[in-house]
Amino acid sequence: MIAFLRPDAWDFPLFLHVFGAIVLFGGMATLVLLSFAAQRIPLQKAFAQRLAFITLLAVVWPSYVVMRGGAQWIYNKEDLHPDFPAWIAVGVTVGDGGIIVLLALTVLGWLARRKAWAGSFFAGLSALYLVALGIAWWAMSAKPGA
C-alpha cells in the first residue's frame, strides 16, 4: 500500500535501490558459495578464490554503489531527515557499514591468493555480511513498527 501512495518521481530512484540491493545480495551469496567451496575443495581452491575475487570486484562493488546511490536519492526525496523510522535505520546501518566490510573483503580476497589464513576470514566475513544483508532486506520490506 505504501508504494501505491508514492509520487511517480520516486519510482526510478526506488527501482535503482531495490535492483542494486537484489544484485548485491545475489553477488554476496555467490561470494559465500565460492569462498566456502575454496575451503572445501582443495583441487579447485585457486580457481574458486580467483572467481570469488572477480565477483567481488565486478558484481558486488558496482551493485553496492547502485544500491547506496539509489538509497540516498530516494531518502533525499522522502525528506525524512530529522527522525526516520527504525526500519530505515537498519538499512542505513547495514548500507553504511557495508563499505567497511567490502573494503575488508577486498583486502582479504587479495591476500587469500597468497596466505591460507585469509581465505577462512574471507569466507566468514562474507557469510556474516550476507546475513546482515538478509536482515536489512527483511527490515526494508516488512517495515516493522511502521
Side-chain angles (χ1 to χ4, degrees):
M1 186 64 164
I2 293 174
F4 179 71
L5 301 174
R6 291 186 187 277
D8 290 339
W10 296 6
D11 289 345
F12 186 66
L14 185 60
F15 170 77
L16 283 179
H17 172 64
V18 171
F19 179 72
I22 290 170
V23 175
L24 176 62
F25 188 85
M28 284 304 301
T30 304
L31 207 64
V32 169
L33 180 69
L34 289 169
S35 61
F36 278 104
Q39 300 299 312
R40 299 283 183 200
I41 308 170
L43 294 175
Q44 299 296 324
K45 184 174 184 171
F47 175 72
Q49 284 178 337
R50 189 176 321 119
L51 193 56
F53 190 64
I54 290 169
T55 301
L56 176 66
L57 296 178
V59 176
V60 173
W61 271 109
S63 63
Y64 175 83
V65 170
V66 169
M67 181 275 303
R68 194 63 191 95
Q72 193 62 46
W73 191 2
I74 194 70
Y75 178 73
N76 289 342
K77 284 188 172 289
E78 287 187 9
D79 196 30
L80 296 170
H81 300 291
D83 53 342
F84 50 84
W87 57 270
I88 291 180
V90 171
V92 167
T93 301
V94 172
D96 289 350
I99 194 146
I100 296 167
V101 173
L102 292 180
L103 286 171
L105 282 172
T106 303
V107 170
L108 286 171
W110 182 76
L111 284 174
R113 296 176 47 200
R114 292 162 183 79
K115 309 283 184 188
W117 60 266
S120 298
F121 284 112
F122 183 83
L125 186 58
S126 61
L128 284 175
Y129 189 55
L130 183 66
V131 170
L133 286 173
I135 291 169
W137 190 350
W138 173 80
M140 298 297 285
S141 60
K143 296 177 182 32

